[in-house]
């Protein structure tokens, strides 16, 4: 949730509103959190504060051509809401799905849109969080208190993307846009387009623009791994032909996908060369034997060292094979009035340059946090399973998986928070926080994630802002859904790591 400033001209409403739980963000995590509270903790008062004018987060803010999921909706969708469309879905389809969840579960009255949160202050005497926000539609300041704070704001800034500062950018006479701030009505018909980047956004934008643009060039410093397959699932089609209930289809397909993903991820560690050759063979089958796959589609890292996106029906590679798109693998020396000069000496001319160069990490929604009047040094805390933090009472954070769908972990955290609230109620406790146990005090403290395990640019740029992890499973953000789906329900809330008062 972006901080829009202090708004000194704004005025407070007379009353402070209090809720048992306050959820920050109405994206995929926040809507899921609201559902879990409604179904698992009936009677709990809660509110969802969202800075934007509607729900959806990423799927609302991103307007670039072809915007779609980069993982399947059977696992990116909620476990409680069957997905009935193609596995890779457009943003509009995902928004419709989320809207149905809100309508079917009566969540709309709990959501406050256009509420930008500026600060969150914990008071140990009152055992309360106090949040200051601005209603951006009216300019009025709002104050909320809550017993428990559930951070579902996502992991990157919606209002801005990451664009490196290349020499000469101001000289370029065409237009430069970032996918996160795509201008409404941008007409690229017949234009020469350069898309800088090699991740999921670039792989989506290039085939979506190819054919309508004059030509699209994907300019990458180094290639990325992609998986190719049809945008459909055979077993789902077969089950539907047999008139199997959609809830059964959803669960069966989810389990099949998760099982296959786990096997594939394990193979990417145990036999990376073989997995790499399989991925490249799928690309070669589309672009042809004569294409320079070694230069343009063979990454420097093993599969799954960074997020591996799915290319439905191989549309990116189909565009390359058709000649409506091309790939250049090189580094940028500078921008020129006509386009981009590369370090090899080659010059690329363009009318439009798209910088699909990544995210800016968002840490706790860029909200100013204080604990008993002291600014929260989030990077000095230690994470408990990637969702609670030492020295931060009555707060949980949803940070999803890198190698599986985000929502899988959002659902697990939802179950955990509801169990934790029930444990507090049973104990008569008004406060809970996690703390290192005596046996943990000599534990090595390490970066949030091992760069040798996973190292996308946005995490590497922002690692210094994130909490530390330990070398024990409970003190780190695990990336293994197959372990966590069993470990999370078995978390002992009476363990000494949880301190109640």
């Amino acid at each position: 949730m972006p901080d829009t400033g202090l708004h000194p001209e704004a005025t407070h409403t007379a009353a402070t509103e209090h809720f048992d739980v306050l959820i920050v963000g109405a994206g995929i995590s926040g809507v899921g959190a609201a559902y879990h509270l409604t179904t698992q903790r009936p009677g709990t008062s809660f509110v969802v504060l969202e800075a934007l004018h509607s729900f959806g987060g990423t799927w609302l803010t991103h307007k670039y051509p072809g915007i779609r999921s980069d993982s399947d909706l059977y696992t990116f969708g909620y476990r409680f809401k069957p997905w009935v469309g193609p596995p890779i879905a457009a943003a509009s389809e995902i928004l419709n799905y989320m809207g149905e969840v809100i309508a079917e579960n009566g969540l709309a009255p709990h959501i406050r849109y256009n509420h930008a949160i500026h600060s969150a202050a914990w008071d140990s005497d009152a055992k309360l969080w106090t949040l200051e926000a601005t209603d951006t539609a009216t300019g009025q300041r709002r104050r909320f208190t809550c017993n428990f704070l559930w951070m579902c704001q996502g992991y990157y800034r919606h209002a801005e993307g990451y664009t490196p500062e290349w020499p000469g950018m101001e000289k370029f006479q065409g237009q430069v846009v970032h996918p996160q701030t795509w201008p409404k009505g941008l007409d690229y018909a017949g234009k020469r387009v350069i898309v800088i980047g090699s991740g999921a956004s670039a792989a989506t934008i290039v085939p979506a623009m190819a054919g309508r643009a004059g030509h699209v060039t994907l300019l990458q410093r180094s290639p990325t791994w992609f998986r190719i397959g049809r945008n459909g699932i055979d077993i789902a089609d077969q089950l539907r032909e047999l008139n199997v209930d959609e809830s059964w289809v959803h669960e069966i397909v989810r389990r099949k996908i998760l099982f296959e993903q786990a096997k594939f991820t394990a193979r990417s560690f145990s036999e990376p060369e073989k997995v790499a050759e399989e991925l490249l063979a799928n690309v070669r089958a589309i672009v042809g034997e004569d294409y320079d796959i070694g230069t343009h589609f063979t990454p420097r890292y093993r599969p799954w060292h960074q997020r591996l996106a799915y290319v439905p029906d191989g549309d990116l590679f189909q565009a390359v094979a058709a000649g409506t798109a091309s790939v250049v693998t090189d580094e940028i020396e500078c921008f020129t009035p006509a386009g981009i000069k590369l370090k090899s000496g080659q010059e690329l001319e363009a009318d439009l340059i798209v910088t699909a160069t990544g995210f800016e990490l968002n840490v706790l929604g860029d909200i100013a946090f204080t604990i008993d009047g002291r600014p929260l040094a989030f990077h000095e805390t230690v994470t408990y399973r990637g969702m609670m933090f030492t020295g931060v009472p009555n707060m949980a954070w949803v940070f999803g998986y890198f190698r599986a769908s985000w929502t899988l972990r959002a659902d697990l955290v939802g179950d955990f928070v509801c169990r934790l609230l029930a444990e507090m109620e049973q104990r008569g406790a008004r406060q809970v926080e996690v703390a290192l146990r005596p046996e943990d005090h000599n534990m090595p403290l390490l970066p949030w994630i091992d760069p040798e395990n996973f190292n996308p640019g946005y995490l590497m740029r922002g690692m210094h802002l994130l909490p530390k992890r330990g070398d024990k499973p409970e003190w780190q953000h695990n990336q293994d859904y197959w372990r966590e789906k069993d470990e999370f329900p078995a978390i002992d809330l009476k363990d000494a790591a949880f301190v109640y008062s």
Side-chain angles (χ1 to χ4, degrees):
M1 305 243 337
D3 187 349
T4 57
L6 295 179
H7 298 278
E9 75 284 358
T11 57
H12 274 296
T13 54
T16 297
E17 293 185 82
H18 176 78
F19 296 92
D20 295 328
V21 179
L22 190 147
I23 298 168
V24 178
I28 199 83
S29 302
V31 170
Y35 168 86
H36 288 299
L37 280 179
T38 300
T39 55
Q40 298 187 48
R41 295 283 302 164
T44 299
S45 65
F46 71 93
V47 68
V48 183
L49 299 187
E50 169 57 60
L52 302 173
H53 67 276
S54 187
F55 61 87
T58 293
W59 311 110
L60 178 67
T61 60
H62 285 199
K63 306 292 187 184
Y64 60 80
I67 171 67
R68 67 191 180 196
S69 62
D70 67 348
S71 61
D72 71 279
L73 261 293
Y74 286 92
T75 58
F76 186 77
Y78 303 109
R79 69 173 186 232
F80 55 83
K81 168 74 170 170
W83 177 255
V84 297
I88 301 300
S92 59
E93 296 171 304
I94 298 171
L95 286 173
N96 288 340
Y97 173 83
M98 293 180 66
E100 289 174 2
V101 171
I102 291 171
E104 291 165 3
N105 296 282
L107 304 181
H110 297 278
I111 306 176
R112 310 279 183 90
Y113 298 114
N114 299 308
H115 275 60
I117 301 171
H118 313 301
S119 64
W122 171 259
D123 185 330
S124 292
D125 293 330
K127 310 289 189 191
L128 288 176
W129 284 101
T130 298
L131 283 86
E132 300 282 351
T134 296
D135 182 337
T136 57
T138 65
Q140 288 188 309
R141 291 290 293 270
R142 306 284 186 182
R143 178 177 290 147
F144 300 86
T145 58
C146 65
N147 302 327
F148 195 93
L149 186 57
W150 198 338
M151 298 298 295
C152 298
Q153 82 292 340
Y155 65 101
Y156 69 91
R157 292 174 181 155
H158 287 278
E160 60 176 319
Y162 172 71
T163 300
E165 288 292 329
W166 289 291
M169 289 183 73
E170 73 285 352
K171 297 178 182 178
F172 178 56
Q173 294 179 355
Q175 189 173 6
V176 179
V177 300
H178 191 282
Q180 280 184 235
T181 52
W182 195 269
K184 185 176 181 180
L186 175 62
D187 184 10
Y188 54 87
K191 292 185 177 180
R192 299 164 299 174
V193 180
I194 297 174
V195 178
I196 305 173
S198 60
S201 296
T204 298
I205 292 167
V206 170
M209 298 182 76
R212 185 159 185 257
H215 187 78
V216 182
T217 301
L218 174 65
L219 173 58
Q220 57 182 9
R221 185 172 52 186
S222 60
T224 293
W225 290 110
F226 295 105
R227 292 189 76 177
I228 300 172
R230 80 177 187 92
N231 193 13
I233 297 177
D234 291 339
I235 192 173
D237 298 339
Q238 293 163 1
L239 291 171
R240 289 183 176 122
E241 286 179 3
L242 297 172
N243 292 319
V244 173
D245 185 270
E246 283 293 346
S247 62
W248 285 33
V249 175
H250 188 68
E251 185 61 24
I252 291 168
V253 174
R254 274 169 68 90
R255 292 191 185 199
K256 183 177 188 295
I257 291 171
L258 289 167
F259 179 74
E260 291 175 346
Q261 284 177 346
K263 284 178 58 178
F264 180 81
T265 300
R267 288 184 60 225
S268 73
F269 284 88
S270 64
E271 47 184 15
E273 295 84 4
K274 188 172 182 180
V275 170
E277 183 48 44
E278 290 172 2
L279 295 172
L280 293 177
N282 290 333
V283 175
R284 193 177 293 111
I286 297 176
V287 300
E289 293 290 338
D290 296 333
Y291 194 87
D292 187 0
I293 291 207
T295 298
H296 300 305
F297 293 126
T298 305
R300 303 167 186 167
Y301 58 92
R302 61 166 172 75
W304 264 132
H305 209 165
Q306 297 182 16
R307 186 166 176 82
L308 199 158
Y310 191 79
V311 179
D313 303 316
D315 59 5
L316 167 64
F317 307 102
Q318 297 287 0
V320 172
T324 55
S326 56
V327 180
V328 174
T329 304
D330 204 334
E331 294 189 43
I332 296 172
E333 180 174 307
C334 64
F335 278 51
T336 68
I340 293 175
K341 182 179 180 182
L342 304 176
K343 289 189 176 179
S344 64
Q346 181 182 4
E347 293 194 36
L348 302 176
E349 293 187 349
D351 306 301
L352 171 65
I353 296 175
V354 180
T355 57
T357 44
F359 302 127
E360 287 282 11
L361 191 69
N362 170 305
V363 178
L364 291 180
D366 293 328
I367 296 166
F369 271 76
T370 57
I371 309 292
D372 293 326
R374 296 184 301 277
L376 171 60
F378 196 48
H379 64 284
E380 295 178 359
T381 70
V382 181
T383 184
Y384 180 84
R385 296 188 181 274
M387 59 181 174
M388 294 183 72
F389 310 94
T390 55
V392 186
N394 291 24
M395 190 187 82
W397 186 31
V398 176
F399 200 121
Y401 292 116
F402 302 124
R403 294 194 179 98
S405 291
W406 180 277
T407 320
L408 293 167
R409 202 165 201 271
D411 278 338
L412 290 178
V413 174
D415 293 339
F416 168 80
V417 170
C418 290
R419 276 212 304 133
L420 183 63
L421 294 173
E423 179 73 18
M424 292 176 69
E425 184 177 59
Q426 184 178 359
R427 288 172 175 263
R430 298 175 58 201
Q431 177 174 328
V432 61
E433 61 183 289
V434 291
L436 299 182
R437 303 158 299 192
E439 62 266 32
D440 300 323
H441 280 286
N442 292 324
M443 177 177 63
L445 296 183
L446 307 164
W448 173 265
I449 196 164
D450 180 2
E452 294 302 312
N453 183 282
F454 192 76
N455 60 9
Y458 69 89
L459 269 182
M460 295 303 99
R461 293 191 299 271
M463 190 80 80
H464 63 289
L465 303 173
L466 292 168
K468 301 295 186 290
R469 65 181 165 94
D471 63 354
K472 300 178 181 179
E474 59 268 41
W475 296 110
Q476 55 189 248
H477 181 192
N478 195 316
Q479 282 302 308
D480 188 346
Y481 169 75
W482 281 87
R483 279 180 52 188
E484 291 200 328
K485 73 179 179 61
D486 296 324
E487 291 177 350
F488 267 49
I491 291 173
D492 182 4
L493 296 177
K494 297 176 175 57
D495 185 84
F498 297 96
V499 180
Y500 300 90
S501 59

